[in-house]
Amino acid sequence: MAGSLLSDAGQRLEQALKYTTISEDAIESLKFPQTSLTVSIPVRMDDGSLKVFQGYRVRYDDTRGPGKGGVRYHPSVTLDEVQSLAFWMTFKCAALSLPFGGAKGGITVNPKELSRMELERLSRGYIDAIADFIGPDVDILAPDVYTNAMVMGWMMDQYSIIKRQISPAVVTGKPISMGGSLGRESATAMGAFFVIQSMLPKFDRPPETTTVAIQGFGNAGAILAELLYKAGFKVVAVSDSQGGIYSRGGLDIPSIRHFKESSRRIQAMYCVDTVCHTTAEEVLTNEDLLTLDVDVLVPAALENQITEANAANIRAKMIFEVANGPITSAADHILEANGIYVFPDILVNAGGVTVSYFEWVQNRSGLYWTLEEVDQHLKHRMVQEAENIWAIARDLSIPMRTAAYVHALCRLGDAISAKGTRDYYLNGR
Ligand code: NAD
């Protein structure tokens, strides 16, 4: 298992293995990604020069269905990182019982340095390079860091041109006008909201007396902040990459979202706009936000935010991971020893891929759902799987993260065994 993220994820897997009876063949077949593709993408730049970018698509495991995973555009994208993310997707899809395997893609590029035309040529060039490797029944793409509905639209169009047939189901997270699903944009936050709402009563925490701090005020964090605010929770702190704001009595989240959309910075509202005087009491750093004495902490920004270095300072009672991998495995042990309950990313942020699944279903059936239908199906799936994982954690007295991996591993193990393993043949199972 190469790469720090993948080896960290591997440690979580090792812990979960103790609690399953999954066959050795199944464990062996999950050790490495099934297929890893590296491609070179030549792009004619606006100034006439030619630039070649490196792209990747990894299918980690497709025993439970076609690969499913986003495409990331970032200067730090490497094959190792894409493999790690594909590994996570495999477990996330299994934990939520989605009929998909895990996959991921990426291009090593800083998209902010490209014009929109260059970005389109790069996106179409990526599909030209991987077209034989993807498909609605093979491997389905979606947005990830620095890719969005517009990019997904170009990708779906390019794939359709190559295949000479309209193929909306090869990509999810598309524009609604090209077969995208209602509710996809808010799906991650909505999914996290349903998990929080279903789990808090177990800790006897009514919304009105529950304080929440959220790190990251982007697509996932800001929408979740507003959902919690509207449900009566006291969201006392939020932050973005520039810093955060805090109010003991609770922040006025709709005003902050409005302000952020116009100013692009949360902190800018402090003592610049009248709203700040009525809502925010203090400016605080991201480090301060993580260590606030709150009931619920939601990391919704980046990976590796809570590590061995700061885990001992965390005072929240519960953490709901909306970001992928915000807590390292070393930090997990410290949090657990301090009695802090962690709800893991592969459950909490799975609303995005779940609604991607709904989009794929709608594309293939040709029948499109209302927003109410999407949210209702999402709620059902998130609450049901959160309860399943909760029951495993309770019955085995293990952390929710280990329970989520146990849950996913059992489904993966069953599927791998059903295909035929040594145990399957020997025991006639
Ligand atoms: P985004 O780009 O919309 O927002 C990210 C936010 O984090 C921004 O507000 C940014 O300012 C803030 N940020 C960046 N660096 C920070 C720092 N050092 N400290 C505090 N805040 C910082 O991204 P997003 O789509 O909201 O995704 C956030 C996280 O959720 C990522 O880890 C992503 O992988 C995960 N996630 C998102 C989705 C989804 O559908 N959006 C699905 C699953 C997982």
Side-chain angles (χ1 to χ4, degrees):
M1 288 195 171
S4 61
L5 281 175
L6 187 54
S7 53
D8 211 56
Q11 287 188 30
R12 265 105 189 222
L13 187 57
E14 298 276 317
Q15 279 161 21
L17 279 173
K18 286 186 266 182
Y19 302 98
T20 66
T21 51
I22 177 171
S23 77
E24 278 182 25
D25 282 15
I27 297 168
E28 184 66 17
S29 62
L30 286 172
K31 267 191 188 160
F32 299 103
Q34 205 168 26
T35 342
S36 300
L37 183 69
T38 301
V39 294
S40 296
I41 312 157
V43 177
R44 184 67 60 193
M45 307 301 279
D46 291 347
D47 66 3
S49 64
L50 187 78
K51 209 164 171 186
V52 179
F53 295 88
Q54 290 295 287
Y56 310 94
R57 187 72 193 171
V58 173
R59 208 175 314 140
Y60 200 93
D61 183 85
D62 64 1
T63 316
R64 300 190 70 260
K68 181 88 194 77
V71 182
R72 177 172 291 197
Y73 287 0
H74 199 273
S76 68
V77 164
T78 60
L79 180 60
D80 287 343
E81 183 189 54
V82 177
Q83 288 178 332
S84 325
L85 294 164
F87 169 93
W88 265 334
M89 283 305 295
T90 307
F91 284 85
K92 196 182 291 186
C93 291
L96 269 288
S97 197
L98 307 178
F100 292 133
K104 204 79 183 190
I107 301 177
T108 314
V109 59
N110 183 353
K112 292 180 186 166
E113 289 172 358
L114 301 190
S115 71
R116 188 179 275 216
M117 294 279 279
E118 289 167 341
L119 196 65
E120 178 174 348
R121 288 194 284 269
L122 176 67
S123 305
R124 289 183 184 273
Y126 177 65
I127 296 301
D128 288 341
I130 66 165
D132 291 335
F133 197 67
I134 58 172
D137 290 309
V138 181
D139 184 356
I140 303 131
L141 317 185
D144 192 70
V145 175
Y146 290 148
T147 54
N148 56 17
M150 179 178 68
V151 175
M152 294 306 112
W154 294 331
M155 289 184 172
M156 177 252 171
D157 184 51
Q158 190 63 19
Y159 184 82
S160 300
I161 290 169
I162 294 167
K163 295 293 169 186
R164 295 197 172 276
Q165 59 185 35
I166 303 301
S167 305
V170 70
V171 170
T172 59
K174 300 177 291 291
I176 304 287
S177 56
M178 293 179 80
S181 176
L182 294 171
R184 175 61 185 85
E185 206 171 323
S186 57
T188 301
M190 194 63 106
F193 175 69
F194 291 141
V195 173
I196 294 172
Q197 231 186 4
S198 66
M199 291 294 117
L200 283 190
K202 299 182 191 305
F203 296 82
D204 215 6
R205 295 262 160 210
E208 52 283 3
T209 57
T210 302
T211 53
V212 184
I214 302 180
Q215 184 202 42
F217 207 69
N219 173 275
I223 298 177
L224 177 60
E226 188 149 343
L227 289 169
L228 291 169
Y229 171 87
K230 287 185 173 156
F233 288 85
K234 250 207 270 181
V235 183
V236 294
V238 294
S239 68
D240 61 14
S241 56
Q242 321 252 347
I245 50 177
Y246 170 80
S247 169
R248 186 187 304 272
L251 295 162
D252 177 359
I253 299 296
S255 302
I256 297 168
R257 273 194 83 190
H258 178 72
F259 196 88
K260 163 101 182 169
E261 270 152 33
S262 49
S263 76
R264 307 235 146 252
R265 294 173 57 206
I266 288 176
Q267 236 189 14
M269 77 180 288
Y270 188 74
C271 293
V272 173
D273 187 82
T274 50
V275 141
C276 81
H277 299 293
T278 57
T279 58
E281 283 172 10
E282 270 178 51
V283 171
L284 79 177
T285 64
N286 269 296
E287 293 73 42
D288 294 339
L289 179 138
L290 292 175
T291 57
L292 284 174
D293 185 6
V294 287
D295 298 308
V296 171
L297 174 63
V298 180
L302 305 170
E303 53 261 16
N304 293 340
Q305 293 301 292
I306 301 176
T307 65
E308 233 172 336
N310 62 355
N313 303 331
I314 305 294
R315 287 184 291 164
K317 293 168 190 68
M318 280 167 270
I319 302 178
F320 288 83
E321 291 182 323
V322 167
N324 279 312
I327 303 177
T328 63
S329 52
D332 261 349
H333 298 301
I334 301 169
L335 297 174
E336 196 189 339
N338 290 344
I340 298 167
Y341 215 89
V342 176
F343 291 85
D345 47 7
I346 64 167
L347 167 67
V348 178
N349 72 23
V353 68
T354 301
V355 175
S356 274
Y357 163 52
F358 298 160
E359 182 174 330
W360 180 80
V361 168
Q362 292 171 73
N363 292 155
R364 292 169 73 92
S365 68
L367 183 67
Y368 285 82
W369 303 356
T370 62
L371 182 59
E372 289 69 33
E373 285 171 313
V374 171
D375 286 346
Q376 188 190 335
H377 283 283
L378 176 64
K379 182 173 185 177
H380 176 74
R381 174 91 44 163
M382 296 301 299
V383 172
Q384 185 178 44
E385 297 303 345
E387 290 292 350
N388 286 339
I389 294 169
W390 174 263
I392 295 171
R394 184 198 54 211
D395 295 348
L396 298 175
S397 299
I398 54 178
M400 279 293 275
R401 189 190 310 285
T402 311
Y405 277 92
V406 168
H407 192 44
L409 259 177
C410 290
R411 284 185 174 143
L412 279 161
D414 280 352
I416 294 169
S417 291
K419 274 192 169 179
T421 59
R422 193 181 56 166
D423 292 353
Y424 181 83
Y425 292 119
L426 290 181
N427 304 332
R429 284 199 282 130

